[in-house]
Amino acid sequence: MARRSLPLLRHLLSRSELRTTFPTRSVTYMHRPGDGAPRPVTMIPGDGIGPLVTAAVEQVMEAMHAPVYFEKFEVHGNMKAFPREVIDSIRKNKVCLKGGLVTPMGGGVSSLNVQLRKELDLFASLVNCVNFPGLPTRHDHVDIVVIRENTEGEYSGLEHEVVPGVVESLKVITKFCSERIAKYAFEYAYLNNRKNVTAVHKANIMKLADGLFLESCREVATKYPGIKYNEIIVDNCCMQLVSKPEQFDVMVTPNLYGNLVANTAAGIAGGTGVMPGGNVGAEHAVFEQGASAGNVGNEKILEQKSANPVALLLSSAMMLRHLQFPAFADRLETAVGKVILEGKYRTRDLGGTSTTQDVVDAIIDALD
């Protein structure tokens, strides 16, 4: 009996090996009828390096035959307001890709970036700060998503001179906006299989304003028992980011803290030139470089044509996924990853000598 069972055992083992070595099937994206129709996207090249990196996106989209086309508008940071036709275009298309806009320092000129967020109620800013294989950084295993409230706080723009030499600037925090951004952060964590959400605050000093923000986060957290909720004071947060950033997962913040935290996290994970980002509301989305840290108007980078296009290319991949073109987003992200991993074509901010066009050409060559 034992002898007879040996051939059967060998047969079953061989079938098991076949099953384990058979190539797995890729996930099929089942689109809705008509989803392949090209989609219009409003494009704002912006100031400084903006036209250089938005042109890079156009080249890559054309090389991929991506189902998008751009409606381009000239907008500059020294304008008093967005031209009405630009706002109308974004409202119509629902999606915008934007280069940086330089905001003049002082002088009472309102930031066009802030204007756009308020006009379209783009209440959530999202920046993904993650290590890239092949790009050396001080810390490994960094994968942080910073979700920042985008419409109030210190950016409310409510300032006035009380008496000569005394200026009052109001920080506005509301229950509605705090709850809304907390819901978005927890929903993001839930949909993307993230395990932790950390609220960043200064409620030990600003007990009413940041206290209201924390109260809203705590209430929302109770509705997501599968996600761990933490709180951290913003100054301790900055120290923890530069010493042990891998402890953070999703971070939800009021407006000003989010700007500081996102730029810090971007610097830790590889630099602002490789960090994608976007701003989203109920109806519209604007995609742009995730963290700028002042490189938008850098004349030297512009003269050398050495602006890093990776951040905006990855932001455009986020845009493609938002438009429900996931295969195109995957192709673009894979090509960018290959070029970074190979290390042959890198701009100066990543320790290389390549121009913007060198990197774009390499990414196009790496497309599947």
Side-chain angles (χ1 to χ4, degrees), residues 3 10 26 58 96 163 229:
R3 284 180 193 167
R10 290 194 191 100
S26 62
E58 288 184 280
C96 173
V163 295
Y229 172 65

Side-chain angles (χ1 to χ4, degrees), residues 53-124:
V53 291
T54 52
V57 172
E58 288 184 280
Q59 289 183 62
V60 175
M61 292 291 170
E62 185 178 349
M64 286 199 302
H65 304 290
V68 296
Y69 61 93
F70 296 105
E71 296 177 0
K72 286 168 57 170
F73 294 90
E74 286 291 323
V75 180
H76 300 288
N78 58 4
M79 293 179 173
K80 290 185 177 180
F82 266 91
R84 179 45 53 185
E85 60 269 22
V86 180
I87 299 296
D88 290 343
S89 173
I90 301 174
R91 288 193 187 280
K92 172 178 66 76
N93 297 332
K94 309 293 186 186
V95 177
C96 173
L97 186 71
K98 172 180 161 296
L101 292 171
V102 175
T103 301
M105 301 292 179
V109 178
S110 175
S111 165
L112 289 189
N113 296 306
V114 174
Q115 282 186 35
L116 186 64
R117 294 166 196 160
K118 290 184 177 180
E119 177 77 25
L120 300 174
D121 196 25
L122 304 170
F123 68 87

Side-chain angles (χ1 to χ4, degrees), residues 104-226:
M105 301 292 179
V109 178
S110 175
S111 165
L112 289 189
N113 296 306
V114 174
Q115 282 186 35
L116 186 64
R117 294 166 196 160
K118 290 184 177 180
E119 177 77 25
L120 300 174
D121 196 25
L122 304 170
F123 68 87
S125 164
L126 187 149
V127 181
N128 186 197
C129 303
V130 60
N131 289 132
F132 290 88
L135 187 61
T137 55
R138 196 178 295 271
H139 297 279
D140 298 323
H141 312 298
V142 177
D143 187 2
I144 303 169
V145 174
V146 181
I147 295 176
R148 159 193 175 193
E149 204 293 317
N150 228 2
T151 59
E152 57 176 20
E154 294 85 351
Y155 285 57
S156 300
L158 300 174
E159 294 184 310
H160 65 279
E161 190 172 40
V162 182
V163 295
V166 179
V167 172
E168 186 175 56
S169 180
L170 300 181
K171 170 177 177 172
V172 177
I173 297 287
T174 65
K175 175 78 170 176
F176 172 78
C177 290
S178 298
E179 198 171 76
R180 183 170 65 166
I181 196 65
K183 283 180 180 176
Y184 187 83
F186 276 93
E187 189 175 55
Y188 177 89
Y190 170 68
L191 292 173
N192 291 276
N193 195 30
R194 297 278 184 157
K195 307 303 181 186
N196 299 285
V197 172
T198 302
V200 182
H201 67 95
K202 192 65 178 171
N204 58 325
I205 303 298
M206 285 170 273
K207 299 182 186 297
L208 291 179
D210 284 23
L212 179 58
F213 175 78
L214 280 187
E215 178 188 310
S216 302
C217 291
R218 288 168 185 167
E219 287 177 9
V220 174
T222 61
K223 299 173 184 176
Y224 293 86

Side-chain angles (χ1 to χ4, degrees), residues 198-201 232-243 247-248 251 253 257 261 264:
T198 302
V200 182
H201 67 95
I232 189 168
I233 296 173
V234 64
D235 38 354
N236 182 33
C237 173
C238 293
M239 189 271 287
Q240 295 290 334
L241 269 174
V242 298
S243 59
Q247 69 184 288
F248 296 108
M251 306 176 79
T253 77
Y257 308 155
V261 167
T264 303

Side-chain angles (χ1 to χ4, degrees), residues 313-314 317-318 321 328-338:
L313 284 168
L314 292 175
M318 288 174 62
R321 199 165 277 115
F328 287 92
D330 291 343
R331 286 177 62 204
L332 177 50
E333 288 172 345
T334 300
V336 169
K338 284 179 182 176

Side-chain angles (χ1 to χ4, degrees), residues 124-128 150 276-280 285-290 315 318:
S125 164
L126 187 149
V127 181
N128 186 197
N150 228 2
N279 308 277
V280 68
V286 175
F287 295 89
E288 60 186 337
Q289 183 172 325
S315 297
M318 288 174 62

Side-chain angles (χ1 to χ4, degrees), residues 304-365:
Q304 295 172 343
K305 298 189 184 301
S306 60
N308 193 338
V310 167
L312 199 64
L313 284 168
L314 292 175
S315 297
S316 68
M318 288 174 62
M319 178 192 76
L320 289 169
R321 199 165 277 115
H322 178 79
L323 290 170
Q324 298 191 3
F325 300 134
F328 287 92
D330 291 343
R331 286 177 62 204
L332 177 50
E333 288 172 345
T334 300
V336 169
K338 284 179 182 176
V339 171
I340 292 175
L341 180 61
E342 186 183 49
K344 186 177 178 182
Y345 297 99
R346 289 182 181 172
T347 47
R348 291 182 184 276
D349 59 310
L350 300 183
T353 58
S354 301
T355 64
T356 305
Q357 193 59 51
D358 291 336
V359 176
V360 171
D361 291 341
I363 290 169
I364 289 173
D365 289 342

